[in-house]
C-alpha cells in the first residue's frame, strides 16, 4: 500500500436513537469521538415496516399527476 494516502482508522463510540452505545472502528472523527445517530435500524421506517404507510397515502401520487401531468419538455 502507498504511504500517506489512507485515512486514519481508530475507535469511536456510537450512540443509537434509543440511547444504547457501542464502540467500533471507523475513519470518522478522531480517536474517542462520539457519533450520535439521528436514524438507525431501530427507528427508520425502512427497517421497522413503517414504510408501507408512505406509499400513496391519500392519493398523493394521483394529486401530483393531476397538478403536473400536463407539463412536458420542449424540444
Amino acid at each position: 500500500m502507498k504511504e500517506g494516502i489512507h485515512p486514519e482508522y481508530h475507535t469511536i463510540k456510537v450512540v443509537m436513537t434509543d440511547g444504547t452505545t457501542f464502540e467500533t472502528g471507523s475513519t470518522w472523527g478522531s480517536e474517542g469521538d462520539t457519533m450520535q445517530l439521528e436514524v438507525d435500524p431501530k427507528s427508520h421506517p425502512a427497517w421497522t415496516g413503517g414504510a408501507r404507510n408512505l406509499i400513496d397515502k391519500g392519493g398523493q401520487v394521483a394529486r401530483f399527476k393531476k397538478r403536473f401531468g400536463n407539463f412536458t419538455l420542449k424540444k
Side-chain angles (χ1 to χ4, degrees):
M1 287 199 282
K2 289 185 178 180
E3 292 293 323
I5 64 167
H6 300 285
E8 180 188 338
Y9 191 75
H10 46 266
T11 303
I12 64 167
K13 181 176 164 184
V14 178
V15 180
M16 306 282 271
T17 55
D18 66 351
T20 58
T21 63
F22 64 92
E23 287 190 359
T24 187
S26 177
T27 58
W28 178 86
S30 304
E31 178 75 31
D33 281 354
T34 301
M35 177 186 283
Q36 294 275 349
L37 297 181
E38 295 177 6
V39 177
D40 63 25
K42 294 179 182 177
S43 66
H44 194 278
W47 286 286
T48 61
R52 285 174 265 151
N53 298 335
L54 301 176
I55 299 173
D56 198 18
K57 189 173 183 180
Q60 291 178 6
V61 173
R63 242 184 5 244
F64 178 85
K65 287 180 180 178
K66 182 180 175 184
R67 288 181 68 190
F68 300 108
N70 296 330
F71 287 106
T72 59
L73 296 174
K74 292 183 180 179
K75 290 186 177 184

